[in-house]
Amino acid sequence: YASAARYLDRAGTAPVVTYARGVLAALKKDYVQAETYFRQAASEGYAEADAAVAQMEEMKRFADGRIEIIED
């Protein structure tokens, strides 16, 4: 991930770059930082980030035990 991080450090501040930083953070299991980046990218109008924010919220609900798992 180090080379990706170096690339993103030089990539600027466009919403797609912010989203990519969120993806990298999620891959590194830094979900708090990932959500921050996704929310920032979403607020800047990057549509794909909205789905990522929703997925992060779903993960938090699951982790908090608020989603019931139904097994067949």
Side-chain angles (χ1 to χ4, degrees), residues 1-13 17 21 24 37:
Y1 302 121
S3 62
R6 283 191 303 272
Y7 177 82
L8 290 173
D9 285 344
R10 298 185 309 265
T13 59
V17 175
R21 287 184 178 114
L24 180 60
Y37 282 131

Side-chain angles (χ1 to χ4, degrees), residues 6-55:
R6 283 191 303 272
Y7 177 82
L8 290 173
D9 285 344
R10 298 185 309 265
T13 59
V16 67
V17 175
T18 303
Y19 175 79
R21 287 184 178 114
V23 170
L24 180 60
L27 289 171
K28 293 166 63 176
K29 300 185 189 303
D30 185 350
Y31 300 118
V32 171
Q33 186 63 55
E35 185 176 5
T36 299
Y37 282 131
F38 291 148
R39 287 188 183 281
Q40 180 180 347
S43 74
E44 294 170 352
Y46 192 69
E48 287 84 352
D50 291 327
V53 169
Q55 187 174 19

